[in-house]
Amino acid sequence: PLYNTPKDFLYEMIKSVTDQTYKNFELCLADGSSEEFNYVGEYCTDLSKNDNRIKYKKLTENKGISENTNECIKMATGDYIALFDHDDILHPSALFEYAKVINEQNADFIYCDEDKFDKLDGKFYDPYYKPDFAPDNLRANNYICHFTVFKKSLLNKVGTFRSEFDGSQDHDLILRLTEKAKTIVH
């Protein structure tokens, strides 16, 4: 979902997806930005005209994080859904590594470690090495968050994001997904 995304974040996020070594994806962008952020729609529309993997929808209003994300999910036609934010970037082999785990282990829910970086000096800091799946830990703390990929059929069983949980919407969905998932891979 997009909402008043700064230009540099938008460009880097999209580039991190289009530069993936694994090319079989859809990038679904639902834009709830206000009028002063028209460049978001202009940029995404231009990209979608030249790359049919990019799907863009301008929302008539900003419905909040859960409903905006649900709009992205409605656009997706693949067997798996991948979630990340408009200010995130992916390693170039992220989708390949996830596809590999799906093919080799029949994973229906996958998550990974993460790190932060300082854009000014390009240095990474604050790596977050997540534990393997631990339901009790997850109930107390959403250690999974992004980058999360899960089978769309699993989402169909538990339902999409619920706006009454905005602020902790990821945790709510992850708890419901992992309760039904058969193969969770870190």
Side-chain angles (χ1 to χ4, degrees):
L2 305 172
Y3 178 71
N4 296 350
T5 308
K7 284 182 183 180
D8 56 339
F9 288 2
L10 179 68
Y11 300 161
E12 290 178 18
M13 178 272 295
I14 291 174
K15 185 171 176 17
S16 81
V17 176
T18 58
D19 286 353
Q20 288 293 301
T21 58
Y22 181 84
K23 301 294 186 185
N24 186 19
F25 64 82
E26 293 174 319
L27 176 59
C28 300
L29 305 165
D31 181 12
S33 298
S34 54
E35 286 184 29
E36 59 267 24
F37 289 83
N38 282 339
Y39 63 82
V40 172
E42 293 167 2
Y43 182 68
C44 293
T45 299
D46 286 345
L47 288 175
S48 67
K49 288 177 184 174
N50 297 316
D51 188 338
N52 62 3
R53 300 172 302 172
I54 299 174
K55 297 181 174 187
Y56 173 76
K57 178 180 182 179
K58 175 64 178 160
L59 303 176
T60 56
E61 63 179 315
N62 176 31
K63 298 178 181 182
I65 186 65
S66 291
E67 290 306 318
N68 290 0
T69 305
N70 287 340
E71 289 297 322
C72 292
I73 291 169
K74 289 177 192 174
M75 298 163 66
T77 63
D79 294 330
Y80 283 81
I81 302 290
L83 298 176
F84 72 118
D85 289 333
H86 67 168
D87 60 351
D88 290 346
I89 60 171
L90 298 175
H91 185 277
S93 66
L95 294 181
F96 172 80
E97 294 297 332
Y98 277 62
K100 183 177 172 187
V101 168
I102 290 166
N103 289 322
E104 291 178 356
Q105 298 183 43
N106 197 29
D108 56 357
F109 187 97
I110 309 124
Y111 67 98
C112 65
D113 298 335
E114 60 187 80
D115 203 351
K116 294 181 178 74
F117 70 96
D118 186 325
K119 187 175 174 184
L120 296 176
D121 63 14
K123 292 184 180 176
F124 288 89
Y125 67 96
D126 199 22
Y128 184 23
Y129 302 107
K130 300 172 185 177
D132 287 341
F133 183 64
D136 290 337
N137 189 2
L138 181 61
R139 288 183 190 108
N141 172 42
N142 182 14
Y143 65 87
I144 292 178
C145 209
H146 298 155
F147 180 54
T148 306
V149 172
F150 46 86
K151 210 170 202 177
K152 192 171 186 179
S153 61
L154 189 61
L155 183 70
N156 292 339
K157 289 179 187 175
V158 304
T160 57
F161 286 97
R162 301 185 292 195
S163 59
E164 61 267 31
F165 289 96
D166 278 0
S168 61
Q169 72 283 345
D170 290 325
H171 198 191
D172 170 61
L173 183 62
I174 289 167
L175 286 168
R176 291 184 285 130
L177 289 168
T178 56
E179 182 179 35
K180 300 291 184 187
K182 290 185 177 20
T183 308
I184 299 169
V185 177
H186 167 218

